[in-house]
Amino acid sequence: MRRRTVTPGAGLEEVLDDLAAAPAAREEAAAPAPARPRERDRLQTEFAFELPRGYVDDEGQVHRSGTMRLATARDELRPQIDLRVKENPAYLSVVLLSQVITRLGTVTDVHAGIVERMYATDVAFLQDFYRRINSEGHTHAAVTCPLCHGSFEVDLSGGRLGES
């Protein structure tokens, strides 16, 4: 422990400030630099997809690529109080998908009316995509070739046939 003698006029406030700053400086020096999060430690919250057919807007433009975010508890609870869902329980997936799709081509305001006008193939794809990212955390699936029985992994997020 270091002793310090304070004499009148020596600046008691300065001494007190120095003493207060000393523990903070020691803690900063002792604390390791914050580590950058490793790629595998980061939580991916948005996933890109490509629709099999595509959403056709009012101008006739086809929107195939988009992004979907992970669902929150609120996202899954909100449709339960929606009157459209109470009247027709099958409407639940339309409301739920409209909440978690963040972008569809150039459309950034995705609402239930847009999901309603999608082809059934695309809605089925999005339902499976939603289930996959929210329960399994990724868009990959292990498959086995029926001819050679080789195992490999495919990305179910979409893409044109024949593209890798």
Side-chain angles (χ1 to χ4, degrees):
M1 178 179 227
R2 211 169 83 189
R3 290 184 182 213
R4 185 177 272 189
T5 306
V6 179
T7 58
L12 182 59
E13 284 79 21
E14 288 177 26
V15 174
L16 292 175
D17 288 343
D18 289 344
L19 290 174
R26 280 195 302 269
E27 287 175 9
E28 285 178 13
R36 291 179 61 208
R38 291 179 292 193
E39 191 64 36
R40 65 185 174 110
D41 292 339
R42 282 199 208 140
L43 176 63
Q44 182 178 357
T45 59
E46 282 205 348
F47 296 83
F49 62 83
E50 190 164 330
L51 295 174
R53 299 218 187 273
Y55 164 69
V56 182
D57 64 16
D58 294 335
E59 287 87 40
Q61 184 178 1
V62 179
H63 304 274
R64 295 192 66 213
S65 62
T67 54
M68 181 184 292
R69 66 173 173 78
L70 290 176
T72 63
R74 175 175 278 171
D75 292 326
E76 295 209 347
L77 292 172
R78 185 175 288 150
Q80 301 298 326
I81 60 172
D82 192 301
L83 294 177
R84 298 169 293 187
V85 174
K86 287 184 177 184
E87 290 174 9
N88 182 3
Y91 202 75
L92 183 134
S93 64
V94 171
V95 174
L96 188 55
L97 289 173
S98 70
Q99 293 180 143
V100 296
I101 297 172
T102 56
R103 181 186 58 79
L104 187 56
T106 58
V107 180
T108 55
D109 180 26
V110 180
H111 50 81
I114 289 176
V115 178
E116 283 177 350
R117 295 192 330 238
M118 288 182 171
Y119 293 110
T121 308
D122 291 334
V123 174
F125 168 84
L126 289 169
Q127 288 170 332
D128 183 58
F129 191 74
Y130 174 91
R131 182 193 54 76
R132 184 167 298 282
I133 67 172
N134 284 288
S135 62
E136 298 172 20
H138 57 79
T139 60
H140 302 281
V143 295
T144 303
C145 175
L147 300 175
C148 70
H149 301 289
S151 296
F152 56 96
E153 191 174 85
V154 295
D155 186 358
L156 299 177
S157 62
R160 310 280 298 168
L161 289 175
E163 289 182 357
S164 53

